[in-house]
Amino acid sequence: MPQPPSARLQRDASIQLESEPTAALLAWAEAVEAGEGTLFEKARLLATRLGAHVRPDGLVEIGFWTPELSGDVIQPKNIQLEVFTPRQTIDPSLAEQTVRFHRDYLQLEKWGEYHWGVLSGLRVGDVTTIGSLYWLRYLSPDTNAVTALGDCLGNSFPYGVYAPAEIYDLEGLQARRTDHAYYDTLIADEPVTIPAPCNILQLHVRTASPNGYLSGLTELYRKLAAKLRCGEALTPAETNLIGYDAVQLLPTEPTVEVRSGQGGDDDHFSLRPDDEDVLDTETEGIVAEAGDVRVRLRRPDLQNWGYDIVIFGSAATNPALLETLRPDELVAFISELHTFPTGPIRVVYDLVYGHADNQAIDLLNGRFLKGPNMYGQDVNHQNPVVRAILLEMQRRKVNTGADGIRIDGGQDFKYFDPITGRVAYDDPYLLSMGDLVQEIGPARWRPFVIYEDGRPWPAEGWEEVSSYRDLVEQRPDAFQWGPMIFAHNTPALHGFWARKWRRVCEKMQLGSRWVNGCGNHDTLRRGTQVDPGEPINPHLGSTLPEVLANAYDNGAIGALTYGFGPGLPMDFIHCLMRAPWGFFRNTDDRFGVKVVAEEAPGFLDWQLSDALYAADGLFQAIKQLGFRELAQLRQFLALLTGSISATDYDLEQIALACQAGMPTGDDGTTAVVDVAWLKAFARHFMEDMHAACNIWLHADRVDPVQAGFNMALREFRRSRPWLAENLSNDERLDLLTTPSTTIFYGMRRAPEPEASTVALVAHMGGAAMALGLPELFPEQAGPWRLLLASPGLEPSAAQLAGREPILFQDSQALLLEPG
């Protein structure tokens, strides 16, 4: 366990630049530059040694790509490596602490657009200890300002990407992992390509973990494993976690942070002028040395849905996901899944390299970015060094042990082609992301690849035009998100599945390389954006939260996805748990009020009931601001939304307009609304929303019958792997539709020699309808045998024999075989 911050650490030997090893490193770089190959090929070799690498002899190699420091304006003598070595053990559990560091300055060797060095005396971080922190600092002659230049390829950022990176022992981390037997199966003469899983469970770490960290997920799966080994019964909520071959984590890369400036209250690593040159000898019994400084550390308790990334630091893990601030937590989680008693559960990383938040401008040199887009900034994949560094970031990230990668937003990888004069998609880069070889010891493998690509999104009409096949046609072993699991899926609307019949037919004929299903982080949130005034399917529930829950955890959709349709099924844990979900972030000081105004109304309408809002422990901060009832909060948000539009986001004018919407407190007064109050309200709402989305607060909402049916569907799919293939010419899926009801029915036959048959009847939405099996399947004269029935549907022997019709209610389905 970490020691308290008052514990003293012995100073290591003084930090020095080792001349001979540094000269050898420079000679290697010069040989690469002088060798054959393209600029990109040379950049890829150089990128392998950028960042900080702990050598077997204990020395540390450090390399920076510094094109912004290669001109005549900034002289090399002004560029120094600044190193902070803790003189006290840092307690990662503390929200805030002030720690004494020893600060050293060293001069790296400048070589072209790079700075290189091999150093001794650095403290190397490990599973229990935070090591030396480092970045480049330089003085700009024109502004006389001191600027920090971080290591974009850093291995560990315990206090966020605006703080210095940590020297970390990655080889030691790999040696400590407990799943080496799994990687022994990947030792071969050629790299092994990991086969695709049977299905995937999508998780957001902070809201799927009982404690909000990767350590909590690891402990959760450890307890599940112990129960399974002992034959103990699982709870319905626990049942929702098993039966999956793979787990896909929403992005685990560092995200944007709240920025208030040097030494601000929101900074995670704060060195103020009065904390420098600390020479008093009475502080906690530590003998002061010249160069000692005090640094205030704030735990980076960042809350984000995961996609507001800055590219910088993408090889590392978001410290907000790490209870111990140690990278070991991610490896421990992977190891637990790889050694699961029912068989290895593979881990899929969600990689975001197609765009960056605007904060990337502050963290990356200008060559990384091309200009603004709807997310923030376009990434300049066409620069050969940027391209090489991005691939190296990915290689290092996946080298923590991932079995698969999901590439976010393939349609964002675009560039202007001067030859054709048109904007083109950078498919060669997207395909190269799937070609990287990963290594742990002697094991070498290529992860299976999933692309999200809805091109020509966001062009008008993209939803109907996109084929969702642009990349799998070029890479047949890969998968691509299919149209039914993309962001526009809104199954709560009346007649949704009838309108999507063309896409459903495409799924049956072409969907073997699609990730299929209904619910994911995008679609569930998209469901909350539906205007309640639109024609909603009333048969899904009597309230909007009931409708949403039943639309995305739906027996008929599950039967279609797992029991009949081709492709790779994926579920989102929040859909199965019927827990709230939205795009939350407490990291936006500038636009936080606007984000809340856009996100909150749909979240409140579709995800919360009065009883859930009133529950003890939920929305505590918002209630303390005076919004004791959900109706009061809705009224205020309506006023806030209208005032944002009317004032063109003038926060001072918005504050004046919102004053009238403040509820009266018990003392008869109302809080004064100003800009600071609005920003605090926005942050409190997002943090309360984040807390409310933790699935374990809603475990009692899981219906054991529904959870059992979903689990049975997963077992059904696993026992019939042939269902993953496209429908053949003698298989069919048909549509029966009326203005009030949509029915899917069809039959599939396994290839020889298995020769088994599966028939589906699924009520996809609307009023109840009585159906006779002989009318649906006239080619099958004999009786049927029940394979699976969704909750509430229990066909009799007479109905299975075709003598009586079966009454199907909304969302009910049968899977049958000839009797």
Side-chain angles (χ1 to χ4, degrees):
M1 293 294 293
Q3 302 175 53
S6 58
R8 286 171 285 174
L9 290 175
Q10 182 68 36
R11 276 284 317 281
D12 295 335
S14 60
I15 301 171
Q16 298 181 32
L17 185 75
E18 298 294 329
S19 58
E20 291 187 10
T22 298
L25 178 58
L26 289 173
W28 169 83
E30 290 170 356
V32 169
E33 182 66 26
E36 297 182 354
T38 65
L39 290 175
F40 173 59
E41 291 167 342
K42 295 176 182 179
R44 288 198 70 176
L45 285 173
L46 292 171
T48 62
R49 298 182 78 165
L50 291 175
H53 302 266
V54 180
R55 300 179 5 158
D57 59 7
L59 300 178
V60 177
E61 291 183 0
I62 292 182
F64 286 85
W65 181 45
T66 55
E68 66 270 61
L69 305 183
S70 60
D72 296 330
V73 176
I74 301 173
Q75 299 300 320
K77 65 181 181 181
N78 293 328
I79 306 164
Q80 293 181 305
L81 184 74
E82 186 175 36
V83 180
F84 298 87
T85 301
R87 298 204 63 199
Q88 301 167 254
T89 300
I90 299 169
D91 185 348
S93 67
L94 295 180
E96 184 173 323
Q97 59 195 300
T98 299
V99 173
R100 184 188 291 263
F101 286 79
H102 188 79
R103 181 168 60 183
D104 290 276
Y105 291 102
L106 298 99
Q107 189 111 15
L108 299 181
E109 292 292 338
K110 184 177 183 299
W111 176 80
E113 293 187 341
Y114 296 85
H115 279 77
W116 300 101
V118 181
L119 287 73
S120 62
L122 290 166
R123 179 170 297 154
V124 178
D126 58 23
V127 67
T128 60
T129 304
I130 292 179
S132 297
L133 308 178
Y134 68 98
W135 55 18
L136 285 179
R137 294 290 291 267
Y138 63 88
L139 181 66
S140 176
D142 53 345
T143 64
N144 205 35
V146 176
T147 302
L149 193 160
D151 180 3
C152 68
L153 279 161
N155 298 320
S156 172
F157 293 88
Y159 287 93
V161 290
Y162 284 94
E166 177 191 5
I167 304 292
Y168 197 82
D169 180 13
L170 289 182
E171 290 300 319
L173 180 150
Q174 299 288 27
R176 290 188 294 273
R177 65 185 313 138
T178 59
D179 58 350
H180 288 288
Y182 175 81
Y183 293 101
D184 288 344
T185 65
L186 304 181
I187 300 174
D189 293 337
E190 296 294 330
V192 177
T193 298
I194 303 293
C198 176
N199 56 6
I200 299 174
L201 179 65
Q202 190 184 40
L203 300 176
H204 174 261
V205 172
R206 297 223 64 184
T207 55
S209 169
N211 71 354
Y213 303 108
L214 278 161
S215 62
L217 278 181
T218 303
E219 183 62 22
L220 172 64
Y221 275 92
R222 186 173 293 133
K223 290 179 179 178
L224 287 174
K227 280 190 168 185
L228 292 171
R229 290 188 180 102
C230 296
E232 295 182 29
L234 302 181
T235 68
E238 290 172 335
T239 300
N240 283 337
L241 291 164
I242 65 168
Y244 291 95
D245 284 348
V247 163
Q248 178 182 309
L249 301 177
L250 268 67
T252 60
E253 287 72 32
T255 63
V256 296
E257 301 179 15
V258 179
R259 295 299 295 155
S260 19
Q262 289 295 328
D265 290 338
D266 291 312
D267 292 345
H268 305 302
F269 183 91
S270 177
L271 177 64
R272 306 174 189 179
D274 58 354
D275 289 325
E276 301 189 39
D277 300 321
V278 180
L279 293 177
D280 58 287
T281 58
E282 302 299 323
T283 303
E284 298 162 349
I286 298 175
V287 177
E289 298 179 6
D292 280 5
V293 295
R294 283 190 295 256
V295 179
R296 188 197 63 179
L297 303 175
R298 293 184 66 255
R299 183 178 174 82
D301 189 24
L302 308 171
Q303 298 167 6
N304 196 286
W305 61 304
Y307 292 89
D308 296 322
I309 58 92
V310 290
I311 300 295
F312 183 100
S314 286
T317 301
N318 182 353
L321 309 183
L322 304 173
E323 182 183 18
T324 62
L325 302 181
R326 305 290 75 211
D328 297 71
E329 281 188 43
L330 180 59
V331 169
F333 173 71
I334 294 172
S335 298
E336 187 63 39
L337 266 61
H338 280 169
T339 57
F340 205 68
T342 57
I345 300 174
R346 298 165 198 159
V347 177
V348 183
Y349 286 166
D350 196 337
L351 304 179
V352 186
Y353 287 104
H355 56 81
D357 185 89
N358 281 322
Q359 283 192 16
I361 298 173
D362 301 327
L363 295 163
L364 297 167
N365 70 63
R367 298 194 192 180
F368 274 92
L369 306 172
K370 292 190 293 188
N373 61 24
M374 67 176 63
Y375 308 110
Q377 295 290 314
D378 280 320
V379 180
N380 186 16
H381 303 92
Q382 279 60 58
N383 181 289
V385 183
V386 171
R387 198 178 187 92
I389 288 176
L390 293 177
L391 288 172
E392 179 64 14
M393 283 181 177
Q394 175 189 327
R395 189 189 69 82
R396 295 186 193 184
K397 178 74 175 184
V398 181
N399 249 21
T400 52
D403 306 278
I405 56 173
R406 182 257 186 188
I407 297 170
D408 178 75
Q411 67 276 348
D412 297 327
F413 292 73
K414 293 183 290 190
Y415 66 98
F416 178 77
D417 186 340
I419 297 176
T420 64
R422 297 178 180 179
V423 173
Y425 292 96
D426 195 350
D427 291 341
Y429 180 82
L430 288 166
L431 296 174
S432 70
M433 294 178 76
D435 293 333
L436 294 182
V437 175
Q438 308 300 145
E439 297 178 296
I440 292 180
R444 301 170 71 234
W445 76 98
R446 286 187 177 91
F448 66 87
V449 182
I450 299 169
Y451 294 100
E452 182 214 29
D453 194 305
R455 65 184 71 175
W457 187 93
E460 185 176 353
W462 69 272
E463 186 174 341
E464 296 303 323
V465 174
S466 178
S467 71
Y468 302 92
R469 296 186 54 79
D470 295 271
L471 291 162
V472 293
E473 288 176 352
Q474 299 181 64
R475 190 186 189 98
D477 62 332
F479 286 81
Q480 202 166 326
W481 272 28
M484 304 318 301
I485 204 164
F486 213 73
H488 55 274
N489 192 343
T490 53
L493 291 175
H494 177 71
F496 171 80
W497 289 101
R499 291 192 298 275
K500 293 297 178 183
W501 176 244
R502 178 178 71 85
R503 288 299 195 186
V504 173
C505 291
E506 287 179 345
K507 169 183 172 178
M508 296 301 148
Q509 300 302 323
L510 305 171
S512 64
R513 309 308 295 181
W514 277 347
V515 174
N516 288 314
C518 177
N520 66 64
H521 71 278
D522 265 334
T523 56
L524 183 56
R525 190 251 190 168
R526 177 68 182 92
T528 69
Q529 295 176 319
V530 172
D531 185 340
E534 293 191 48
I536 295 165
N537 180 3
H539 303 280
L540 289 171
S542 58
T543 66
L544 292 182
E546 286 181 1
V547 168
L548 191 75
N550 289 324
Y552 287 100
D553 180 20
N554 186 283
I557 299 172
L560 176 69
T561 302
Y562 277 89
F564 195 85
L568 175 54
M570 185 178 78
D571 299 315
F572 184 36
I573 190 61
H574 282 72
C575 296
L576 298 179
M577 294 291 202
R578 301 185 168 219
W581 169 256
F583 288 1
F584 40 76
R585 60 178 186 179
N586 67 346
T587 53
D588 194 328
D589 182 68
R590 182 180 180 187
F591 292 109
V593 176
K594 186 175 184 179
V595 171
V596 166
E598 293 173 349
E599 192 72 19
F603 180 84
L604 298 184
D605 288 342
W606 286 97
Q607 302 272 25
L608 293 187
S609 63
D610 290 331
L612 187 59
Y613 182 79
D616 292 338
L618 291 183
F619 289 91
Q620 291 178 308
I622 290 298
K623 290 173 183 175
Q624 289 177 2
L625 291 178
F627 302 100
R628 296 181 297 275
E629 298 177 1
L630 185 56
Q632 295 173 318
L633 183 57
R634 284 198 176 106
Q635 180 181 358
F636 177 81
L637 285 167
L639 184 60
L640 175 64
T641 301
S643 61
I644 286 176
S645 300
T647 65
D648 195 26
Y649 200 55
D650 184 324
L651 287 176
E652 292 186 358
Q653 293 300 315
I654 294 170
L656 291 174
C658 288
Q659 184 67 63
M662 287 297 297
T664 303
D666 294 335
D667 59 358
T669 63
T670 60
V672 176
V673 178
D674 55 17
V675 172
W677 187 96
L678 281 176
K679 290 185 175 184
F681 166 82
R683 185 162 181 171
H684 288 323
F685 181 88
M686 282 296 181
E687 291 174 349
D688 281 353
M689 176 181 170
H690 174 269
C693 288
N694 190 283
I695 62 173
W696 298 105
L697 297 177
H698 311 280
D700 58 349
R701 301 173 66 183
V702 179
D703 181 356
V705 177
Q706 180 74 11
F709 174 68
N710 289 335
M711 180 63 195
L713 284 173
R714 298 194 286 274
E715 294 173 344
F716 186 93
R717 181 75 168 204
R718 189 180 310 281
S719 66
R720 296 166 177 82
W722 55 273
L723 288 172
E725 299 304 319
N726 295 329
L727 270 64
S728 62
N729 291 333
D730 63 343
E731 297 176 307
R732 64 183 176 92
L733 179 70
D734 293 322
L735 168 68
L736 173 60
T737 182
T738 72
S740 60
T741 304
T742 301
I743 303 291
F744 290 172
Y745 64 99
M747 189 178 297
R748 297 201 63 182
R749 295 179 176 85
E752 298 291 346
E754 185 173 340
S756 62
T757 299
V758 171
L760 166 77
V761 184
H763 191 307
M764 304 303 294
M769 178 176 284
L771 298 166
L773 295 180
E775 287 74 33
L776 298 177
F777 305 104
E779 70 273 31
Q780 176 61 36
W784 294 87
R785 188 171 74 87
L786 178 65
L787 296 174
L788 275 179
S790 61
L793 185 57
E794 299 178 2
S796 66
Q799 290 172 326
L800 292 175
R803 297 192 299 271
E804 297 177 4
I806 304 170
L807 182 64
F808 286 85
Q809 305 284 348
D810 191 300
S811 305
Q812 290 183 337
L814 292 178
L815 291 169
L816 309 164
E817 68 177 359

mmCIF file of all heavy atoms in Angstrom, residues 23 37 97 171 226 231 245 358 382 393 477 490 516 533 544 548 594 663 682 726 764 766 778 814:
data_model
loop_
_atom_site.group_PDB
_atom_site.id
_atom_site.type_symbol
_atom_site.label_atom_id
_atom_site.label_comp_id
_atom_site.label_asym_id
_atom_site.label_seq_id
_atom_site.Cartn_x
_atom_site.Cartn_y
_atom_site.Cartn_z
ATOM 1 N N ALA A 23 25.730 9.721 -27.384
ATOM 2 C CA ALA A 23 26.382 9.766 -28.699
ATOM 3 C C ALA A 23 25.983 8.560 -29.547
ATOM 4 O O ALA A 23 25.770 8.682 -30.762
ATOM 5 C CB ALA A 23 27.899 9.819 -28.520
ATOM 6 N N GLY A 37 14.944 4.550 -47.844
ATOM 7 C CA GLY A 37 13.564 4.560 -47.390
ATOM 8 C C GLY A 37 12.940 5.929 -47.549
ATOM 9 O O GLY A 37 13.621 6.947 -47.727
ATOM 10 N N GLN A 97 -2.836 17.205 -2.299
ATOM 11 C CA GLN A 97 -1.696 17.127 -1.390
ATOM 12 C C GLN A 97 -0.587 18.017 -1.923
ATOM 13 O O GLN A 97 -0.524 18.294 -3.125
ATOM 14 C CB GLN A 97 -1.192 15.686 -1.260
ATOM 15 C CG GLN A 97 -0.759 15.052 -2.574
ATOM 16 C CD GLN A 97 -0.618 13.550 -2.485
ATOM 17 O OE1 GLN A 97 0.176 13.051 -1.687
ATOM 18 N NE2 GLN A 97 -1.390 12.830 -3.293
ATOM 19 N N GLU A 171 8.694 -2.610 -18.963
ATOM 20 C CA GLU A 171 9.126 -4.007 -18.962
ATOM 21 C C GLU A 171 8.754 -4.675 -17.643
ATOM 22 O O GLU A 171 8.312 -5.829 -17.616
ATOM 23 C CB GLU A 171 10.631 -4.094 -19.200
ATOM 24 C CG GLU A 171 11.049 -3.724 -20.610
ATOM 25 C CD GLU A 171 10.414 -4.631 -21.656
ATOM 26 O OE1 GLU A 171 10.348 -5.859 -21.411
ATOM 27 O OE2 GLU A 171 9.989 -4.125 -22.705
ATOM 28 N N ALA A 226 -14.815 -16.228 -9.240
ATOM 29 C CA ALA A 226 -14.876 -17.067 -8.039
ATOM 30 C C ALA A 226 -16.245 -17.725 -7.904
ATOM 31 O O ALA A 226 -16.349 -18.913 -7.552
ATOM 32 C CB ALA A 226 -14.558 -16.222 -6.807
ATOM 33 N N GLY A 231 -19.612 -22.603 -8.473
ATOM 34 C CA GLY A 231 -20.972 -22.960 -8.835
ATOM 35 C C GLY A 231 -22.033 -22.134 -8.150
ATOM 36 O O GLY A 231 -23.193 -22.568 -8.055
ATOM 37 N N ASP A 245 -17.588 -13.081 -25.326
ATOM 38 C CA ASP A 245 -16.219 -13.436 -25.716
ATOM 39 C C ASP A 245 -15.273 -12.248 -25.634
ATOM 40 O O ASP A 245 -14.058 -12.426 -25.621
ATOM 41 C CB ASP A 245 -16.202 -13.937 -27.165
ATOM 42 C CG ASP A 245 -16.747 -15.345 -27.290
ATOM 43 O OD1 ASP A 245 -16.921 -15.998 -26.262
ATOM 44 O OD2 ASP A 245 -17.010 -15.761 -28.427
ATOM 45 N N ASN A 358 -10.131 20.920 -29.169
ATOM 46 C CA ASN A 358 -9.321 22.135 -29.359
ATOM 47 C C ASN A 358 -8.175 22.257 -28.361
ATOM 48 O O ASN A 358 -7.198 22.972 -28.627
ATOM 49 C CB ASN A 358 -10.216 23.368 -29.263
ATOM 50 C CG ASN A 358 -11.003 23.607 -30.543
ATOM 51 O OD1 ASN A 358 -10.495 23.406 -31.641
ATOM 52 N ND2 ASN A 358 -12.246 24.022 -30.408
ATOM 53 N N GLN A 382 -1.332 13.295 -42.942
ATOM 54 C CA GLN A 382 -0.488 13.287 -44.137
ATOM 55 C C GLN A 382 0.950 13.711 -43.859
ATOM 56 O O GLN A 382 1.836 13.452 -44.666
ATOM 57 C CB GLN A 382 -1.091 14.192 -45.224
ATOM 58 C CG GLN A 382 -2.205 13.537 -46.017
ATOM 59 C CD GLN A 382 -3.365 13.120 -45.131
ATOM 60 O OE1 GLN A 382 -3.956 13.941 -44.440
ATOM 61 N NE2 GLN A 382 -3.678 11.847 -45.127
ATOM 62 N N MET A 393 2.027 5.581 -31.238
ATOM 63 C CA MET A 393 1.139 5.700 -30.073
ATOM 64 C C MET A 393 0.225 4.490 -29.986
ATOM 65 O O MET A 393 0.046 3.887 -28.916
ATOM 66 C CB MET A 393 0.293 6.968 -30.181
ATOM 67 C CG MET A 393 0.982 8.264 -29.852
ATOM 68 S SD MET A 393 -0.205 9.628 -30.029
ATOM 69 C CE MET A 393 0.802 11.013 -29.504
ATOM 70 N N ASP A 477 -11.084 -9.381 -43.682
ATOM 71 C CA ASP A 477 -11.019 -10.007 -42.365
ATOM 72 C C ASP A 477 -11.451 -9.057 -41.251
ATOM 73 O O ASP A 477 -11.535 -9.463 -40.089
ATOM 74 C CB ASP A 477 -9.600 -10.513 -42.088
ATOM 75 C CG ASP A 477 -8.570 -9.391 -42.058
ATOM 76 O OD1 ASP A 477 -8.801 -8.361 -42.745
ATOM 77 O OD2 ASP A 477 -7.542 -9.521 -41.367
ATOM 78 N N THR A 490 -33.136 4.727 -33.563
ATOM 79 C CA THR A 490 -34.137 5.235 -32.612
ATOM 80 C C THR A 490 -35.321 4.272 -32.552
ATOM 81 O O THR A 490 -36.418 4.575 -33.037
ATOM 82 C CB THR A 490 -34.615 6.635 -33.019
ATOM 83 O OG1 THR A 490 -35.047 6.612 -34.391
ATOM 84 C CG2 THR A 490 -33.500 7.659 -32.871
ATOM 85 N N ASN A 516 -23.339 -5.861 -35.278
ATOM 86 C CA ASN A 516 -24.779 -5.676 -35.302
ATOM 87 C C ASN A 516 -25.357 -5.619 -33.898
ATOM 88 O O ASN A 516 -24.703 -5.965 -32.921
ATOM 89 C CB ASN A 516 -25.444 -6.810 -36.099
ATOM 90 C CG ASN A 516 -25.195 -6.677 -37.586
ATOM 91 O OD1 ASN A 516 -25.340 -5.602 -38.145
ATOM 92 N ND2 ASN A 516 -24.791 -7.766 -38.233
ATOM 93 N N GLY A 533 -42.594 14.759 -28.678
ATOM 94 C CA GLY A 533 -43.766 15.016 -29.494
ATOM 95 C C GLY A 533 -43.841 14.164 -30.746
ATOM 96 O O GLY A 533 -44.879 14.138 -31.430
ATOM 97 N N LEU A 544 -41.758 7.757 -20.578
ATOM 98 C CA LEU A 544 -40.617 7.818 -21.498
ATOM 99 C C LEU A 544 -39.451 6.950 -21.031
ATOM 100 O O LEU A 544 -38.843 6.246 -21.859
ATOM 101 C CB LEU A 544 -40.178 9.270 -21.694
ATOM 102 C CG LEU A 544 -41.158 10.181 -22.437
ATOM 103 C CD1 LEU A 544 -40.560 11.578 -22.600
ATOM 104 C CD2 LEU A 544 -41.537 9.608 -23.799
ATOM 105 N N LEU A 548 -37.891 3.944 -23.352
ATOM 106 C CA LEU A 548 -36.482 3.885 -23.749
ATOM 107 C C LEU A 548 -35.845 2.574 -23.312
ATOM 108 O O LEU A 548 -35.130 1.925 -24.095
ATOM 109 C CB LEU A 548 -35.723 5.069 -23.145
ATOM 110 C CG LEU A 548 -34.309 5.266 -23.685
ATOM 111 C CD1 LEU A 548 -34.357 5.868 -25.082
ATOM 112 C CD2 LEU A 548 -33.490 6.158 -22.754
ATOM 113 N N LYS A 594 -23.483 25.528 -22.079
ATOM 114 C CA LYS A 594 -24.165 25.189 -23.333
ATOM 115 C C LYS A 594 -24.319 23.679 -23.476
ATOM 116 O O LYS A 594 -25.372 23.186 -23.917
ATOM 117 C CB LYS A 594 -23.371 25.746 -24.517
ATOM 118 C CG LYS A 594 -24.060 25.577 -25.862
ATOM 119 C CD LYS A 594 -23.266 26.262 -26.968
ATOM 120 C CE LYS A 594 -23.996 26.173 -28.303
ATOM 121 N NZ LYS A 594 -23.239 26.855 -29.382
ATOM 122 N N PRO A 663 -35.691 28.424 -8.038
ATOM 123 C CA PRO A 663 -36.694 28.093 -7.018
ATOM 124 C C PRO A 663 -36.422 28.831 -5.716
ATOM 125 O O PRO A 663 -35.283 29.199 -5.403
ATOM 126 C CB PRO A 663 -36.526 26.587 -6.850
ATOM 127 C CG PRO A 663 -35.115 26.307 -7.263
ATOM 128 C CD PRO A 663 -34.788 27.291 -8.336
ATOM 129 N N ALA A 682 -23.420 24.070 -14.123
ATOM 130 C CA ALA A 682 -23.133 23.150 -15.223
ATOM 131 C C ALA A 682 -22.228 22.018 -14.766
ATOM 132 O O ALA A 682 -22.462 20.836 -15.087
ATOM 133 C CB ALA A 682 -22.493 23.905 -16.384
ATOM 134 N N ASN A 726 -23.797 -14.737 -43.796
ATOM 135 C CA ASN A 726 -24.933 -14.155 -44.511
ATOM 136 C C ASN A 726 -25.958 -15.217 -44.884
ATOM 137 O O ASN A 726 -25.619 -16.410 -45.010
ATOM 138 C CB ASN A 726 -24.452 -13.448 -45.779
ATOM 139 C CG ASN A 726 -23.563 -12.259 -45.480
ATOM 140 O OD1 ASN A 726 -23.714 -11.589 -44.464
ATOM 141 N ND2 ASN A 726 -22.615 -11.999 -46.371
ATOM 142 N N MET A 764 -41.817 -6.659 -33.867
ATOM 143 C CA MET A 764 -40.856 -5.572 -33.800
ATOM 144 C C MET A 764 -41.463 -4.248 -33.354
ATOM 145 O O MET A 764 -40.743 -3.248 -33.233
ATOM 146 C CB MET A 764 -40.175 -5.384 -35.157
ATOM 147 C CG MET A 764 -39.489 -6.638 -35.695
ATOM 148 S SD MET A 764 -38.246 -7.350 -34.584
ATOM 149 C CE MET A 764 -37.015 -6.053 -34.572
ATOM 150 N N GLY A 766 -45.590 -2.270 -32.040
ATOM 151 C CA GLY A 766 -46.962 -1.912 -32.348
ATOM 152 C C GLY A 766 -47.972 -2.753 -31.595
ATOM 153 O O GLY A 766 -47.670 -3.389 -30.585
ATOM 154 N N PRO A 778 -45.505 -22.029 -44.625
ATOM 155 C CA PRO A 778 -46.295 -23.070 -45.279
ATOM 156 C C PRO A 778 -45.464 -24.260 -45.743
ATOM 157 O O PRO A 778 -45.998 -25.365 -45.931
ATOM 158 C CB PRO A 778 -46.921 -22.329 -46.471
ATOM 159 C CG PRO A 778 -46.034 -21.157 -46.707
ATOM 160 C CD PRO A 778 -45.539 -20.759 -45.374
ATOM 161 N N LEU A 814 -40.163 -15.609 -30.895
ATOM 162 C CA LEU A 814 -39.937 -17.048 -30.767
ATOM 163 C C LEU A 814 -38.791 -17.467 -31.674
ATOM 164 O O LEU A 814 -38.658 -16.959 -32.799
ATOM 165 C CB LEU A 814 -41.185 -17.837 -31.178
ATOM 166 C CG LEU A 814 -42.431 -17.748 -30.302
ATOM 167 C CD1 LEU A 814 -43.538 -18.574 -30.928
ATOM 168 C CD2 LEU A 814 -42.144 -18.213 -28.889
#
